[in-house]
């Protein structure tokens, strides 16, 4: 029996036939004028962000494995109010979609306990994104919430990730491979860690299932960062033909709106296109 | 000419003859009853945290190089309100003390830009604590604020830090040594990165000034984590006999109160004791 978080992901794959996720990274400058009009003006920051997110969420939930909400886009008092509102809304309206808080946290144990209490307790996120640089102290404070999920930055897809993560260890492994091994092994007593891996160098993904077993993988860097779905997806499938979550954010939350579409129509079309592209890559 | 942040640290060393810092990590459960009485009860979370912090700050500022405020202790809407209030208070009442926001952030570039805008822009912190695992993308978004300071988690002092940071690279360096070299070299175009190093293995600090030059070092792990002041401080002094910031948090903000002392008296005594212990270690 997998952890409840992993079961939720599996349920979602089967229910939606989708491995697409939606990244909720709202930038106040990019929230459309009609949202501000509806909430009474740009002074209503918290209400504006919340309403914007709700629109994207409702438009895309049918095709989303997860909503990955990056708390670093919810700054200040009003941002944090919108963050709570957004998680409350997800739980109420779309409870079967995995709720991820992507803070990339990495702090010492007693601080990590405070963060976990907020993210898993108050926000009631299903999963959190963490950074491994400080070792297990700050990870164990989250994994001990055994019904929750830890998504670990093992190999990220940002351009400079290789500066650190690709460093060659004296053992012959790259640093990220070592972190992957720990996250699938000694750190994973509760079976509730899943890795972030990058699609930007598909050769890195060869043999990945021998290490990761049936664990879901958050595959990053597809699309604008240059990762190829065709090359990376087949390498990451699990034995059921799923096994992956691939999030897009800006292309879904600020979609190119075509004639006759509302912005929400375009967000919905965009997540469907992502789902279909992933599924197409499965069959090659 | 050093960066303004480094000049602020140097000014503080000379002005106070202190290399002690105060970590502001307020835990709501540990805020004393008299604070809650003053703000009207425990419902007034933001006011309670703010007033508690102000008391500690006023009691200790005369002997503090820096206030290192960990944003991870300021969760939710009300926590973030208290975070803003605390930074506003520091700027207004104690402008010569370095204001550090210790979030240990490490995100991709476009997200890092949002965080920097909040921490350096809205909070007007002088310095931020960052995590290097994602490489320079998320660091450069902060270092480009050339009048601000980046404090990088190079070698942290938490028990599990060695799991990752002490990994031996094929070059013969440990990972943290490689990160130190980058942070003092190619990442440091604006001369505004300073490293966090651990005092828990003083042998690691031998020869550190050959790599770090005159850069201030945030020395972690002294005290409860077992780092020896006597062994580590002499290794880290700069050519002026300063060069270090050593923060304590819990021993200062929740001090043991002796007969005849108020809690604020005890906080003040605690930071003076830390200052004196560091200065004693200087002369051996």
């Amino acid at each position: 029996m997998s952890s409840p978080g992993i079961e939720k992901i599996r349920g979602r794959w089967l229910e939606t036939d989708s491995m697409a996720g939606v990244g909720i990274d709202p930038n106040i400058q990019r929230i459309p004028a009609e949202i501000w009009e509806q909430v009474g003006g740009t002074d209503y920051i918290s209400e504006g962000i919340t309403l914007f997110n709700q629109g994207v969420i409702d438009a895309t939930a049918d095709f989303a494995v997860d909503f990955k909400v990056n708390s670093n886009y919810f700054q200040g008092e009003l941002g944090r109010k919108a963050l709570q509102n957004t998680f409350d809304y997800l739980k109420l309206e779309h409870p079967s979609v995995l709720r991820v808080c992507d803070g990339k946290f990495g702090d010492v144990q007693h601080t990590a306990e405070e963060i976990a209490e907020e993210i898993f307790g108050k926000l009631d996120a299903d999963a959190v994104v963490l950074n491994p640089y400080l070792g297990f102290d700050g990870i164990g404070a989250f994994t001990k919430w055994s019904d929750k999920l830890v998504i670990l930055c093992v190999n990220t897809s940002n351009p400079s990730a290789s500066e650190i993560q690709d460093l060659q260890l004296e053992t012959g492994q790259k640093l990220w491979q070592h972190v992957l091994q720990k996250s699938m092994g000694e750190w994973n007593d509760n079976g509730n860690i899943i890795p972030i891996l990058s699609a930007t160098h598909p050769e890195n993904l060869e043999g990945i299932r021998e290490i990761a077993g049936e664990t879901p993988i958050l595959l990053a860097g597809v699309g604008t960062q240059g990762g190829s779905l065709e090359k990376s997806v087949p390498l990451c499938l699990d034995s059921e033909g799923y096994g992956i979550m691939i999030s897009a954010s800006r292309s879904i939350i600020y979609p190119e709106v075509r004639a006759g579409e509302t912005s929400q129509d375009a967000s919905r079309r965009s997540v469907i296109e992502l789902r279909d592209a992933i599924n197409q890559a499965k069959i090659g």
Side-chain angles (χ1 to χ4, degrees), chain A:
Chain A
M1 180 61 191
S2 299
S3 82
I6 293 177
E7 288 306 314
K8 195 164 178 179
I9 295 169
R10 295 217 167 102
R12 208 62 202 151
W13 285 331
L14 297 172
E15 201 178 332
T16 63
D17 193 32
S18 173
M19 297 193 282
V22 177
I24 304 286
D25 303 349
N27 181 316
I28 291 174
Q29 269 75 47
R30 298 190 71 175
I31 293 180
E34 59 265 32
I35 296 281
W36 296 118
E37 278 163 30
Q38 282 181 65
V39 297
T42 53
D43 286 347
Y44 295 85
I45 290 175
S46 164
E47 292 78 3
I49 300 172
T50 304
L51 186 66
F52 174 72
N53 292 349
Q54 288 173 346
V56 173
I57 288 165
D58 290 340
T60 59
D62 289 347
F63 308 95
V65 177
D66 67 289
F67 286 108
K68 187 160 70 65
V69 183
N70 191 328
S71 52
N72 287 320
Y73 281 85
F74 295 78
Q75 293 290 351
E77 176 186 354
L78 300 177
R80 291 297 153 142
K81 187 174 175 190
L83 183 66
Q84 181 75 57
N85 289 343
T86 300
F87 273 91
D88 289 347
Y89 187 78
L90 286 171
K91 185 177 173 181
L92 187 69
E93 297 294 333
H94 304 285
S96 64
V97 187
L98 191 80
R99 299 185 294 279
V100 182
C101 180
D102 178 5
K104 301 185 185 68
F105 304 109
D107 214 315
V108 303
Q109 193 193 336
H110 54 94
T111 312
E113 308 270 4
E114 296 274 327
I115 305 170
E117 187 59 47
E118 175 71 15
I119 304 302
F120 289 158
K122 295 225 186 72
L123 290 182
D124 202 11
D126 297 308
V128 68
V129 178
L130 300 183
N131 179 308
Y133 192 72
L134 271 66
F136 186 69
D137 293 340
I139 296 170
F142 294 89
T143 54
K144 75 178 186 189
W145 294 65
S146 58
D147 58 336
K148 302 289 190 178
L149 205 57
V150 163
I151 302 175
L152 197 65
C153 291
V154 170
N155 190 18
T156 59
S157 59
N158 58 304
S160 69
S162 63
E163 287 183 310
I164 302 298
Q165 298 163 27
D166 282 353
L167 287 170
Q168 199 84 35
L169 304 182
E170 61 169 4
T171 58
Q173 280 185 315
K174 288 181 176 170
L175 174 60
W176 72 263
Q177 291 170 320
H178 181 85
V179 173
L180 177 64
Q181 202 171 41
K182 279 203 174 280
S183 69
M184 296 292 93
E186 63 172 290
W187 288 352
N188 201 18
D189 273 355
N190 280 330
N192 59 350
I193 302 181
I194 75 174
I196 294 178
L197 295 174
S198 172
T200 53
H201 297 89
E203 67 277 14
N204 285 342
L205 299 168
E206 281 169 25
I208 203 71
R209 282 290 162 204
E210 289 162 34
I211 302 163
E214 294 285 295
T215 303
I217 291 169
L218 196 151
L219 192 61
V222 165
T224 51
Q225 289 177 327
S228 154
L229 281 174
E230 289 66 30
K231 289 184 182 158
S232 57
V233 167
L235 294 168
C236 295
L237 297 176
D238 66 14
S239 64
E240 308 281 328
Y242 292 103
I244 316 172
M245 299 192 288
I246 295 180
S247 281
S249 174
R250 284 169 286 180
S251 63
I252 295 174
I253 73 176
Y254 315 118
E256 213 178 293
V257 180
R258 294 181 186 163
E261 282 184 337
T262 65
S263 174
Q264 294 190 17
D265 292 338
S267 290
R268 187 177 178 90
R269 176 177 47 74
S270 179
V271 71
I272 292 173
E273 286 170 2
L274 177 60
R275 177 192 71 164
D276 292 348
I278 299 168
N279 288 345
Q280 183 61 39
K282 275 171 67 167
I283 55 177

